[in-house]
Amino acid sequence: MADNVVAFLLEHLSQLLQREANLLCGVEDKIISLRNELEIINLYLKASSEGKKKNNNREIEQKVLSQIRDVSYLAEDVIDTFITNVAFYKKRNVLGRMLHSVDHAKLLHDVAEKIDKIKTALSEIHENKIKYCQESSDQSRSAREEEERAQSLHRLRRNVEEENVVGFVHESEVVINRLVLDGSSRFNVVSIIGMGGLGKTTLARKVYNSDKVKNHFNCRTWVYVSNECRARDVLLDLLQKLMPKNDYECRSSTTEKGKKKHKEAVNQDISSLSDDELKKRVWECLKWKKYLLVLDDLWKIRDWDELKDAFPDGNRGSRILITSRLKEVASHTGRDPPYYLQFLNEEQSWELFSKKVFRGEEYPCDLESLGKQIVKSCGGLPLSIVVLAGLLANKEKSHREWSKVLGHVNWYLTRDETQVKDVVLKLSFDNLPSRLKPCFLYLGIFPEDSEIRIRKLLQLWIAEGFIQETGSRDACDVAEDYLYELIDRSLIQVARVKYNRGVRTCRIHDLLRDLCILESKEDNIFQVCTDNNILIPTKPRRLSVHSSMSHYVSSNTDDHSCVRSMFCSDPTCLISPDEWKWLTKSFKLVRVLDLEGTYCFKIPSNLGNFIHLRYLRIEDIISVPDSICNLQNVETLDFGSLWNDKISFPMGISKLKHLKHLNTSGPIILRGRCLKSNVDVMWNLQTISRIVLDKKTTYLIEKGSFPKLRRLGLHISSNIKGDVPKMLLSLQQLKHLNKLEIIFKVIDWPHSRWVINCKPAEVLESLKQLSHLNILKIRNAGELVTCVAMFPTNITKLTLIDITCLNDTGMKAIGKLTKLQKLILSGKYRYIRIDEVWSSDSYFDLNCVEDGFPQLKEFHVENLPIQNWKLANGSMPRLQILDIHRCDKLDSLPSELWSLTTLTKVCVRRPSPQMAAMLHHLEVRKGCELIVK
């Protein structure tokens, strides 16, 4: 990991010399000299990490790397502290500079002296016979090799598909029979037991999603427990999943703001309940149901004892399925013996291994014998087999390369006498390219079993300096290559995918997370701080607090000056002014500040003192101080707003030249005057998630402030002053705009009304000119899709939410989009009583014209008042996935649908009784999955 520390420091110094030359006056030559020395060291480290430098003494090698790392950290601290102090000095007025001129001169002298000491330390390492320049021509890749690697990684991206489960056919049948076929109406607990990595969760998920189980239980819920989780957290999770949707959302308002307020109020309400009250609420939700609850990864008998009173036994045949590593836990929870998940046999192990390595292709016969020896070393542990297979899938498939791996496994076994699971996971990590190691270890920062948003993860990798940009390729594209490479090596698990089969969220197996935490300790990469280790003194470069902020601040007295990244994952935390004062004082050199899940109603005015900041996330704010314009290095700003309300930003935000992503949950409204001197070109800005469309926003767009913008969300309210269609025409200036979301703020109660001061057709006419647009999403679309006007021609994904009417004209216009691959149509969710009768004119027919939707692959319909759906010949010829939810008057599906040979999945949720009966007797062709919920 020392090579990554040096590489980042080199990049940091180069950027400083380019951007902050005025701050380096007096020590610029010293920093250039230090950079030159580090460049030589970096070549040595690359050779060492790639195995090109021969060194028979591993302990000496590790000691040298450790020394280089420590000196690099010291150099980083010296330079960053110097930049911070000089920046404060430059902010003073003339009189202030005069008064502090002596202090400034002393500062220059001190930093020059420290840099000399650092160079002396590096020279001592050199004198200890570390040959920096040995075979330097062979130590770095040529530009052509680097470009070929980039192209290879680009080809590596492929559709993310679920792994074939090997060896669980019999196992799943046994567990399913225990759940549904034992004939008992009594409440019972079924448990799956086995060591980490055996596939307990995979087996449980297969059982949970089986048709037999789905049809047997009318209520199914899955919760992760984990070793660190409290019983109260499990109860809160259960209650949120079990509460009826119409109770959990607002009945009296259908506005997003109303729903958000009600949801927050409900969350606050249930969070304030005592444990006994939570149990009672869960019990009430379950008492009349035949339910299946999965408690995944239960570790403690105490946790079960605290939870069990929440589960009613109503003689309805309800079940709880538990996965655990511990026999004593399973024996304590249920009267039946647990199901022990066994290791894979040799045949199953080889089947799983070969599927992962060769991916259905034929393999050389001479590798089978050697491969089976390698697989045998895994001891039948599925996780180890998959991870080792991921390692070999990226190596040359030759007897020579595989013999090396087998030799390494044997070496680890004979030298360390560790368990096979640790050997294989450690070996897989050691064989990662150096560029991937910090990205992989970084996953240990996140809480156990958490789903990690890919977009956030990639932005964090970039902010941390882990991504090595090559040529003109965007850093985010390179980061995505790294992600897919780690997925391909089975070190990251895909949790959710997007419509285009890209990855939306991921997670990491807890064994691998343990490995990340263990490996990070050696280099002080990060520390995960929980209530159990809050008093352990460390000096990590990154700190992830998984306890409450107030508890950490009151309990920990460590020096945090070395911390470059600060994370807080406490969802119940409200950052007080005193804690903000502690943050700004203790973390002056921080580059990443992630306070996701914490509440912060007011950001301190001295936020701009974090001059090294590259990534900032804060929740629940309504105003951003002017000092944010001082964050000249910031690349990502991610703000949550209170009730999704507007967030006030200074007009000077355009001065943030390196800002790439401006993400907010509520719309940004700019304050201040539109002075010509305030307008700067933000060449790096790619994302503005939400901003109010007004004269200020339009002015910045027309003046070319966002030339590289790719994603934009516009909030258009009824009180907008100006010509909306004309304002939308200004979007033609954004030549790189790929995704556009428009939120019309309309009056929702009692019925939606279009109150924008223009006609819907005029809006579409303005958008039609955006030929470069691929993804379009419109909220509060109302009667927008009854217009004759066309949508942008190159749209591949179209989402229309809160539709009140959809006629043949609108469907015909959408059907003519020749590149459209995914269509989402959503009406307004209606809160109705069982005895409420809706008038017949509230419903309409959905008519898909002949030869329409030529490229459509996914069609999602939700809450639309459709009575009939007609699918003309030749319409939707490539449809693969159909999802219909809560269309209560739609009693049948068109017969033409079942003749589509491309159709692979039809999901109908909350069908009408007539629709449910029709689907129950329907026979679909092989290869098409029909799901009715």
Side-chain angles (χ1 to χ4, degrees):
M1 293 298 297
D3 54 334
N4 294 103
V5 177
V6 174
F8 180 81
L9 182 55
L10 279 171
E11 180 192 0
H12 188 39
L13 293 178
S14 298
Q15 289 178 356
L16 285 175
L17 290 168
Q18 292 175 9
R19 301 180 189 175
E20 312 288 356
N22 62 320
L23 298 181
L24 302 177
C25 182
V27 294
E28 186 174 3
D29 57 334
K30 297 281 187 181
I31 292 178
I32 292 174
S33 176
L34 176 61
R35 184 189 64 179
N36 294 339
E37 189 86 8
L38 289 170
E39 284 176 345
I40 298 174
I41 294 176
N42 198 38
L43 290 176
Y44 160 75
L45 292 174
K46 283 185 177 180
S48 177
S49 64
E50 293 172 6
K52 294 177 181 177
K53 182 175 177 62
K54 296 181 179 179
N55 193 331
N56 294 325
N57 195 321
R58 293 175 61 88
E59 293 183 0
I60 293 178
E61 179 75 9
Q62 291 300 317
K63 187 64 177 178
V64 169
L65 294 177
S66 176
Q67 290 175 350
I68 293 175
R69 179 205 67 215
D70 292 342
V71 172
S72 299
Y73 279 155
L74 177 60
E76 188 177 51
D77 290 343
V78 168
I79 299 300
D80 283 354
T81 303
F82 172 73
I83 291 295
T84 301
N85 291 333
V86 173
F88 288 147
Y89 175 78
K90 295 285 186 181
K91 287 181 182 178
R92 300 181 186 276
N93 55 28
V94 176
L95 179 60
R97 292 184 189 181
M98 291 177 60
L99 293 174
H100 291 83
S101 59
V102 175
D103 292 336
H104 185 61
K106 185 176 184 300
L107 176 66
L108 292 174
H109 177 270
D110 288 346
V111 75
E113 191 175 76
K114 288 177 180 178
I115 291 176
D116 285 338
K117 288 182 178 179
I118 290 170
K119 291 186 63 179
T120 300
L122 292 174
S123 297
E124 289 178 358
I125 298 175
H126 176 75
E127 291 169 1
N128 286 334
K129 300 180 181 180
I130 304 301
K131 298 180 180 179
Y132 297 149
C133 301
Q134 182 179 1
E135 300 177 355
S136 60
S137 61
D138 295 329
Q139 293 171 358
S140 59
R141 299 186 178 197
S142 66
R144 181 191 296 178
E145 287 175 332
E146 195 63 31
E147 182 63 26
E148 289 176 354
R149 188 186 70 80
Q151 293 176 359
S152 174
L153 285 177
H154 200 64
R155 290 193 297 268
L156 184 65
R157 298 184 186 192
R158 50 186 169 79
N159 290 344
V160 181
E161 298 176 355
E162 185 177 351
E163 292 284 348
N164 291 324
V165 179
V166 172
F168 286 155
V169 176
H170 171 71
E171 288 84 349
S172 61
E173 289 178 355
V174 172
V175 176
I176 289 172
N177 288 340
R178 291 191 179 190
L179 291 173
V180 304
L181 297 180
D182 66 354
S184 173
S185 61
R186 291 181 58 196
F187 170 85
N188 196 15
V189 178
V190 176
S191 54
I192 303 173
I193 300 302
M195 67 168 289
L198 268 181
K200 300 182 296 297
T201 299
T202 303
L203 174 58
R205 183 66 70 179
K206 185 174 183 179
V207 169
Y208 183 82
N209 289 325
S210 69
D211 290 336
K212 282 185 179 180
V213 167
K214 287 179 180 179
N215 295 329
H216 188 78
F217 299 98
N218 57 25
C219 174
R220 295 179 306 125
T221 301
W222 183 296
V223 289
Y224 292 98
V225 183
S226 81
N227 192 22
E228 294 290 337
C229 195
R230 297 179 302 165
R232 178 178 178 82
D233 296 330
V234 176
L235 290 169
L236 284 169
D237 190 12
L238 267 174
L239 187 55
Q240 288 176 353
K241 291 176 178 177
L242 290 171
M243 286 175 68
K245 190 176 182 65
N246 58 347
D247 285 344
Y248 195 66
E249 295 182 355
C250 180
R251 299 188 187 189
S252 60
S253 174
T254 56
T255 64
E256 285 196 21
K257 184 175 180 180
K259 291 179 183 178
K260 176 70 175 178
K261 281 186 176 180
H262 187 78
K263 186 175 180 179
E264 293 286 345
V266 171
N267 279 334
Q268 186 175 6
D269 177 54
I270 64 176
S271 296
S272 63
L273 297 176
S274 67
D275 289 3
D276 288 337
E277 289 171 328
L278 285 173
K279 292 176 187 178
K280 185 177 179 180
R281 289 278 191 97
V282 172
W283 194 92
E284 290 288 339
C285 289
L286 294 173
K287 66 178 179 180
W288 300 115
K289 296 176 181 176
K290 185 177 183 178
Y291 61 85
L292 170 66
L293 301 183
V294 178
L295 303 181
D296 190 21
D297 203 14
L298 184 65
W299 282 76
K300 301 169 186 172
I301 292 176
R302 182 186 65 204
D303 288 345
W304 169 257
D305 289 340
E306 292 177 2
L307 291 170
K308 63 182 181 181
D309 291 341
F311 310 137
D313 179 6
N315 288 324
R316 297 174 180 272
S318 296
R319 299 286 184 268
I320 289 182
L321 179 61
I322 287 174
T323 70
S324 180
R325 302 183 187 187
L326 307 175
K327 175 184 175 182
E328 61 182 9
V329 171
S331 300
H332 180 78
T333 56
R335 59 181 181 272
D336 293 340
Y339 181 79
Y340 292 95
L341 192 56
Q342 303 298 317
F343 291 91
L344 300 182
N345 59 35
E346 291 186 10
E347 180 180 351
Q348 293 168 339
S349 298
W350 174 248
E351 181 186 0
L352 177 60
F353 176 82
S354 57
K355 278 186 177 181
K356 181 65 180 177
V357 174
F358 303 107
R359 296 164 184 165
E361 299 177 0
E362 293 187 6
Y363 52 87
C365 296
D366 63 325
L367 288 181
E368 183 170 350
S369 176
L370 185 59
K372 287 184 175 180
Q373 293 181 57
I374 295 174
V375 171
K376 189 175 182 180
S377 301
C378 297
L381 186 66
L383 177 65
S384 297
I385 295 170
V386 170
V387 172
L388 185 58
L391 166 70
L392 289 173
N394 291 277
K395 286 185 174 290
E396 178 187 347
K397 294 176 179 59
S398 67
H399 195 278
R400 177 176 57 85
E401 285 295 324
W402 283 30
S403 296
K404 289 181 182 179
V405 173
L406 180 61
H408 274 93
V409 173
N410 290 335
W411 182 84
Y412 273 101
L413 286 171
T414 55
R415 182 180 183 274
D416 292 338
E417 297 181 350
T418 55
Q419 296 182 36
V420 174
K421 66 178 181 69
D422 297 324
V423 171
V424 175
L425 296 178
K426 182 70 166 62
L427 175 61
S428 189
F429 171 75
D430 288 344
N431 277 270
L432 276 177
S434 60
R435 67 182 184 279
L436 295 182
K437 285 183 176 180
C439 297
F440 170 65
L441 293 181
Y442 201 73
L443 295 167
I445 285 176
F446 298 95
E448 186 179 6
D449 288 326
S450 62
E451 277 194 27
I452 305 165
R453 289 181 288 116
I454 294 302
R455 188 187 305 170
K456 173 181 177 177
L457 178 63
L458 301 186
Q459 290 171 2
L460 283 170
W461 282 352
I462 294 169
E464 295 283 6
F466 295 159
I467 307 304
Q468 302 171 12
E469 297 186 43
T470 54
S472 59
R473 295 195 68 210
D474 184 77
C476 193
D477 292 335
V478 178
E480 198 171 357
D481 283 339
Y482 288 13
L483 170 74
Y484 277 87
E485 200 166 350
L486 288 170
I487 290 173
D488 199 64
R489 293 170 179 269
S490 297
L491 293 173
I492 292 180
Q493 299 173 343
V494 175
R496 300 184 191 178
V497 296
K498 297 186 284 189
Y499 85 100
N500 59 359
R501 308 304 293 168
V503 184
R504 185 181 300 278
T505 62
C506 69
R507 61 164 52 98
I508 182 172
H509 193 282
D510 54 359
L511 281 182
L512 292 170
R513 180 176 177 271
D514 291 343
L515 177 68
C516 292
I517 294 174
L518 181 65
E519 288 292 321
S520 71
K521 287 182 180 178
E522 181 179 345
D523 292 330
N524 275 341
I525 298 172
F526 68 81
Q527 178 193 358
V528 173
C529 185
T530 65
D531 290 332
N532 296 328
N533 67 345
I534 202 168
L535 296 177
I536 299 176
T538 58
K539 300 191 74 173
R541 307 303 282 186
R542 297 168 186 87
L543 179 64
S544 184
V545 179
H546 293 178
S547 63
S548 71
M549 176 76 79
S550 59
H551 184 204
Y552 182 83
V553 173
S554 62
S555 304
N556 196 291
T557 58
D558 288 349
D559 176 16
H560 295 91
S561 60
C562 60
V563 174
R564 291 301 189 276
S565 300
M566 172 65 178
F567 300 83
C568 183
S569 302
D570 179 14
T572 63
C573 177
L574 171 64
I575 301 182
S576 67
D578 288 341
E579 286 158 4
W580 260 119
K581 185 177 180 181
W582 172 79
L583 279 170
T584 53
K585 180 181 179 181
S586 302
F587 298 88
K588 294 179 180 179
L589 307 182
V590 72
R591 296 193 190 103
V592 171
L593 183 59
D594 185 353
L595 305 178
E596 182 171 8
T598 57
Y599 295 89
C600 173
F601 299 138
K602 185 177 180 181
I603 302 177
S605 58
N606 62 351
L607 176 70
N609 291 349
F610 291 120
I611 65 170
H612 297 288
L613 205 61
R614 295 187 175 198
Y615 180 99
L616 173 64
R617 176 169 177 85
I618 307 175
E619 295 277 0
D620 285 340
I621 61 172
I622 56 176
S623 182
V624 178
D626 291 346
S627 64
I628 198 171
C629 301
N630 295 333
L631 304 180
Q632 291 300 307
N633 292 304
V634 74
E635 296 174 350
T636 299
L637 293 174
D638 199 340
F639 294 132
S641 67
L642 190 63
W643 315 124
N644 279 350
D645 241 337
K646 294 184 180 69
I647 304 177
S648 173
F649 265 77
M651 192 73 179
I653 192 75
S654 60
K655 296 185 181 297
L656 299 180
K657 298 294 184 65
H658 298 284
L659 185 63
K660 295 180 180 178
H661 306 286
L662 182 52
N663 303 318
T664 57
S665 59
I668 294 168
I669 184 166
L670 299 172
R671 66 173 184 268
R673 298 176 59 188
C674 293
L675 299 176
K676 189 174 181 180
S677 59
N678 283 352
V679 179
D680 293 273
V681 179
M682 304 178 74
W683 289 105
N684 291 294
L685 189 63
Q686 300 174 18
T687 304
I688 302 178
S689 62
R690 287 193 182 185
I691 191 169
V692 171
L693 182 65
D694 56 15
K695 290 183 178 179
K696 293 177 182 178
T697 302
T698 306
Y699 178 78
L700 291 177
I701 294 174
E702 290 177 341
K703 292 300 180 181
S705 292
F706 316 130
K708 299 294 181 66
L709 199 65
R710 297 182 183 180
R711 301 161 57 94
L712 173 64
L714 290 177
H715 186 93
I716 303 177
S717 62
S718 57
N719 59 356
I720 184 173
K721 296 179 181 179
D723 188 337
V724 172
K726 185 177 179 181
M727 289 178 172
L728 290 174
L729 282 174
S730 68
L731 299 180
Q732 295 181 62
Q733 302 282 339
L734 307 176
K735 301 300 182 183
H736 295 270
L737 190 65
N738 173 264
K739 179 178 180 179
L740 174 65
E741 179 179 5
I742 297 179
I743 303 101
F744 289 107
K745 189 66 176 177
V746 299
I747 298 175
D748 278 304
W749 188 258
H751 298 289
S752 297
R753 291 196 293 112
W754 180 274
V755 291
I756 310 300
N757 58 355
C758 66
K759 296 179 180 179
E762 294 175 333
V763 172
L764 287 184
E765 281 291 343
S766 303
L767 297 179
K768 187 174 72 173
Q769 310 301 321
L770 304 178
S771 58
H772 46 279
L773 205 63
N774 295 129
I775 301 174
L776 176 62
K777 184 176 185 178
I778 302 178
R779 290 183 178 272
N780 294 320
E783 299 185 5
L784 192 70
V785 282
T786 63
C787 304
V788 179
M790 292 286 290
F791 290 89
T793 55
N794 290 317
I795 292 294
T796 59
K797 180 183 178 182
L798 177 62
T799 303
L800 302 172
I801 298 176
D802 289 340
I803 299 170
T804 56
C805 184
L806 179 58
N807 59 11
D808 293 352
T809 301
M811 283 301 291
K812 186 175 181 180
I814 299 173
K816 287 183 177 180
L817 297 174
T818 57
K819 297 183 180 180
L820 186 65
Q821 296 182 26
K822 183 172 183 177
L823 175 62
I824 301 175
L825 302 176
S826 176
K828 288 196 171 290
Y829 182 78
R830 293 163 298 163
Y831 301 92
I832 62 174
R833 299 187 305 271
I834 295 175
D835 59 344
E836 188 169 357
V837 179
W838 289 82
S839 60
S840 59
D841 59 2
S842 301
Y843 299 91
F844 53 84
D845 292 345
L846 196 66
N847 296 321
C848 298
V849 298
E850 187 173 354
D851 297 325
F853 307 93
Q855 297 295 328
L856 192 68
K857 296 180 180 178
E858 292 191 36
F859 186 25
H860 299 257
V861 185
E862 183 173 0
N863 295 326
L864 275 187
I866 308 170
Q867 275 188 314
N868 300 293
W869 178 18
K870 298 177 183 178
L871 192 63
N873 290 331
S875 186
M876 300 186 180
R878 300 179 183 228
L879 187 66
Q880 297 176 4
I881 297 174
L882 173 64
D883 185 11
I884 300 177
H885 184 204
R886 209 187 286 269
C887 295
D888 52 359
K889 285 294 182 180
L890 184 62
D891 295 337
S892 65
L893 298 177
S895 58
E896 293 83 1
L897 180 71
W898 309 110
S899 63
L900 299 177
T901 57
T902 56
L903 196 64
T904 59
K905 182 179 180 180
V906 176
C907 181
V908 183
R909 294 175 285 166
R910 298 290 186 90
S912 67
Q914 293 84 349
M915 173 76 82
M918 185 272 293
L919 295 175
H920 180 72
H921 296 95
L922 183 68
E923 292 186 10
V924 297
R925 63 173 178 79
K926 189 176 181 181
C928 180
E929 181 184 13
L930 176 61
I931 301 172
V932 182
K933 297 183 178 180

